[in-house]
Amino acid sequence: MRETEIRKSGARGARVALALVMATMLVVTATADTISRDEARQILRRVDELVTFGNDDFSAEYTLTQERPGQGSSVTRFTLFRRDRADTYTILIMEPAADRGKGYLRIGENLSLYDPVDRRFTVTSSRDRFQNSNARNSDFTRSNLAEEYRITGHAVERLGSYTTDVYDLEAVVDSVTFPVMRIWIDQDNLVRKFEDYSLSGQHMRTTAIPTYRRLGTRFVPVRIVIQDELRGRRIDGVFRNERTLIAVDRPSLNPVPDMVFTRTFLERVSD
Amino acid sequence: MRRAAAAQVVLALMFAAILILVPGVATAFDDLDDLFGDPEQGIVDDEIQDEPGDSPDDDSGAGAATAAVPAVVDVAALTTSPVRFSGTVDTGAGFSLGLSQWPGSDAAEGASVGDLLTWRAGYDMSTTLRVTARPRPYLRFSGSLTTALSESTARFSNPAIGELFVDYTLGDTVFFRVGKYGMTWGQARILTNIGNIVDDVSGGAAVRATVPVGPGTATALVYTRQTEIAIHGAGDPRSFTYAGQYEATRGRVSAGVAARLRAEDALRTTIHATLGLGHLDLTQEARVLWDRQDPFNPDTITVATLSQFVWEGGNPVWRVIGEYLFDTAIPDWQGHRVALAVRMPQFLPGRWRPQVQWQHAFVDNSGQVETAFTGTLAPSLDGTIGIPVKYGQPDTVYRGADTTLPSNGVVSVLVAARLKFSF
């Protein structure tokens, strides 16, 4: 009898604690504010500006670790050069050894891939996965939320230690990778988390950005975790999603020579 | 007992509270939201590294031994490196079991299935050793030696120079490559690459200059081969092949033109354009061969066109490539060929990837359907199960006179393992 009471009391206490935690952590306010188109653009433009390097060049070294539950992980290292004012970027693959020398050059909406084995460039507009990871080629381009999406919903939520504005976004152009997004923005106007959805509402990916590095008045996401919501494997009865961990080193806004953003450079530095 | 039960409940509650309230400790990788538990990690400031400054022996009195500078990517380091040796080993083994002719066909000449059934084991091995040096940002030397195992003699061939070239970059703008090397132009991925009008460049020595021009890249190429030297003599301008290409990208369109001129050979010109429409890329390419003695006579002009679509989409990603080739060099307007390739996701157990490729020639209604499953057996070790099927009469476009398996039988099952790695 006494044991049963203790059990009931314990269960009730756990429920109360859980409810309090949930209330604190998850939903502070969940009102679908009415946001005009202009306001929406201003909000998203503020977000874009912090991670866009208008008149500066951007360069950094990326380490991308692809984790496939039950199948180990693979590491890709690459160097990225980005020039947002010209809407271009260059990526050089450094590891693994088998892919060393491959390169990507994005100009406008097209991507030139250089294969050092065939010594051949292939042009594509593909937004396919980057190096067979959960990252997409579009993940390395400038943020352009203000021009590509409109806000359809708003709420305020707690995200770990952050109070965030959560916006539901719907694409207004066809060229985006995902037509529906939900983004969590902290009080510094930095995107901390976003979820990508297909047109049918299928949850495709979740991306977390726990750490940014400040470069002057701009910010670079230097720790990124991308979780594929569809791919994974059941291990010990629990479904484990595939994840891509991205670490960014040596981020810089120093000028990059013009020749880096040419096909010639890819050939020049490839093996 | 009661005390033990209560202690268990308290412990369980404490554990649950720790799990919920201190997620970063216990469930760091279960829930992405757990990554936001530490606000100190939210924004970090410029990374500073120490750069060697004045040495202790420096008597200038400058003081500090190090200077603080932000850590950045060193572009010069990408174009400068000491001598580096690398290599690739590629070896495979497998067997195939199949039919040399279709039972009941005229070509089978009444042979039974047992008579037509053959099997074959095979192996191959090739090794490439490469040396690369970048003594200056504008200079690079690269050379490779290749040897391969001959299946008929079970001996390795004499090592041959695969590539040997020097790169020189003038003013960070004009890129020269001089020596023996290969390159690929053209857009085809399955059928004959009609746009690759410099496919024989690797057989000789070449000088190439590439320079950014406007929104694109211009390339000039001059090369010579033993064939032309034997006819015209070394140093004769006619023993050289001259080629040029310009490719540019604007918006969703990428386009290019190219030409190749060689003595006693038709002038070859190509033009292509690719339009990107989200997940779909549409390409149209044409190659025209002009008789140099009578270039504008329609009877002497040969045209080949390639239409291509590449679609990549879905999650997981599928890739579908379709190509249609028409070549007026085939008489009676019969030079039509089509191809379709589907690369499926790695959805099979063990991440095996199915792929299917179909090619068909209308001139003799021959073709082939290749189904393959590829997967990784172990690190650097790939496995393939292939089922190539060929149809049409013997000695047609897709069925040679030779009926040796696995490539020339009508149907076979091929099982192979391939070890490939770089070092």
Side-chain angles (χ1 to χ4, degrees), chain B residues 2-3 7 10 43 77 156 160 168 186 204 228 230 265 288 333 350 358 385-386 390 418:
Chain B
R2 283 178 192 163
R3 193 178 299 167
V10 171
I43 298 175
F156 281 96
Y168 182 84
E228 282 72 44
D265 199 356
V288 183
W333 301 90
W358 168 62
I385 301 171
K390 298 194 177 191
R418 180 160 294 281

Side-chain angles (χ1 to χ4, degrees), chain A residues 227-238:
Chain A
Q227 175 169 288
D228 192 314
E229 299 295 344
L230 303 181
R231 302 177 81 176
R233 182 180 271 195
R234 191 167 291 280
I235 295 176
D236 297 332
V238 179

